[in-house]
Amino acid sequence: MSLVELIAQADERGLATSGLACLDRCVPLSGGDDDMLRPLWASLAEGGDQWRRDWGERVEQARAGFDATGLPEGDASAEGEAAVLAHRMLLAAPAECTADTLRTWADACSVAALQIHRLLDASDDGASSMTAHREGGTQDIPPLVAAELRRQIAILELLSAHGPTGLRQALDLSTEGRRVLRAVVSRRARGRV
């Protein structure tokens, strides 16, 4: 199944996890702390509908814990654009847990995360289409974008197959992706010195 199809079929918890995982991999690029989203992950792990009741409050806590003054104003570099996209994902997180709001957010986070990876992929020549990749096309896909696409698909498949018990593995995949992205940014910074 394509990423677009998986997002279309995901339930509310799967959508919240998908969006949160994209955000979790990318928000440290904009100066966010690695642990600032832990309360949201913990909320998703709660049984029943408790996560829905806690979600809005925990989104607000995450926003309050992020210092937007560290964002690079007017920075047209790939890193600057990536930081702004990551911050927008956090700002767009819905306080209300409905299928429609979460699906819109998860979809936007998916696109933003892929765009961030595309911005930071040194081998990207700009010839590929994010829309085509999300719909299952793999032609001309840059390696960093391909890895992010695989992560997004794997997380949605895990949650579809295992429900809330797949959250730990989803968090592990997200943490791995954050390390990869941080290493890419570090390599790019060394290349500019």
Side-chain angles (χ1 to χ4, degrees):
M1 235 186 278
S2 73
L3 179 57
V4 171
E5 292 169 324
L6 288 167
I7 290 173
Q9 292 181 7
D11 65 8
E12 286 91 348
R13 191 185 310 251
L15 293 166
T17 303
S18 176
L20 180 59
C22 289
L23 176 59
D24 191 45
R25 286 188 295 281
C26 299
V27 82
L29 297 175
S30 58
D33 183 278
D34 282 357
D35 293 326
M36 72 181 268
L37 301 175
R38 291 290 179 220
L40 282 163
W41 282 105
S43 177
L44 286 170
E46 293 171 358
D49 283 341
Q50 185 63 39
W51 74 272
R52 283 186 178 90
R53 290 188 285 279
D54 295 342
W55 178 262
E57 180 182 332
R58 293 189 180 179
V59 164
E60 287 308 315
Q61 288 171 351
R63 285 185 188 134
F66 179 73
D67 180 12
T69 60
L71 283 175
E73 282 191 39
D75 184 353
S77 71
E79 291 81 358
E81 287 183 53
V84 170
L85 284 170
H87 187 234
R88 286 182 188 155
M89 278 193 265
L90 177 59
L91 291 178
E96 187 181 353
C97 290
T98 66
D100 288 340
T101 59
L102 290 170
R103 192 170 325 284
T104 299
W105 181 61
D107 194 59
C109 287
S110 168
V111 171
L114 289 167
Q115 183 61 29
I116 286 169
H117 285 75
R118 182 179 193 167
L119 285 166
L120 300 175
D121 195 317
S123 69
D124 181 34
D125 62 5
S128 62
S129 163
M130 286 299 143
T131 302
H133 300 324
R134 293 180 75 240
E135 292 173 350
T138 57
Q139 187 168 351
D140 299 323
I141 189 166
L144 195 60
V145 175
E148 171 61 13
L149 184 64
R150 283 192 301 271
R151 262 185 225 96
Q152 289 186 25
I153 289 170
I155 286 170
L156 284 162
E157 287 176 343
L158 272 169
L159 296 168
S160 175
H162 303 290
T165 59
L167 281 171
R168 179 74 236 170
Q169 291 171 290
L171 178 58
D172 290 344
L173 279 170
S174 187
T175 301
E176 171 201 341
R178 187 180 337 119
R179 283 189 209 115
V180 168
L181 208 53
R182 188 171 279 133
V184 167
V185 170
S186 177
R187 230 181 356 260
R188 288 173 63 94
R190 283 193 308 271
R192 285 193 304 272
V193 174

